[in-house]
Amino acid sequence: MIDILDDGREVPHPCGEVMRHLISHEIHHTGQLSVWAREIGKEPVSANFVGRGLYNS
């Protein structure tokens, strides 16, 4: 991934760095959903991604 800054400079980011950010961001949003679910009296969202069928081999 390459960011293009306001001044036109290009800043490359390694794939591993981008993927780690993506995973971290997903964990953040899962936590948000759990908090909001609790606030309205619902069961919290599971943070477990195993068995959700997200990856079919």
Side-chain angles (χ1 to χ4, degrees):
M1 182 183 129
I2 298 176
D3 277 332
I4 299 176
L5 304 180
D6 291 339
D7 62 7
R9 287 182 294 144
E10 295 182 357
V11 181
H13 300 285
C15 180
E17 181 180 35
V18 174
M19 293 305 296
R20 285 176 184 87
H21 173 76
L22 180 76
I23 292 165
S24 171
H25 199 79
E26 178 67 25
I27 292 167
H28 165 75
H29 283 294
T30 301
Q32 280 185 317
L33 290 171
S34 291
V35 168
W36 294 338
R38 284 187 183 105
E39 287 177 352
I40 63 171
K42 301 289 183 180
E43 186 175 330
V45 175
S46 173
N48 187 0
F49 284 88
V50 177
R52 285 193 184 182
L54 298 174
Y55 177 78
N56 297 319
S57 53

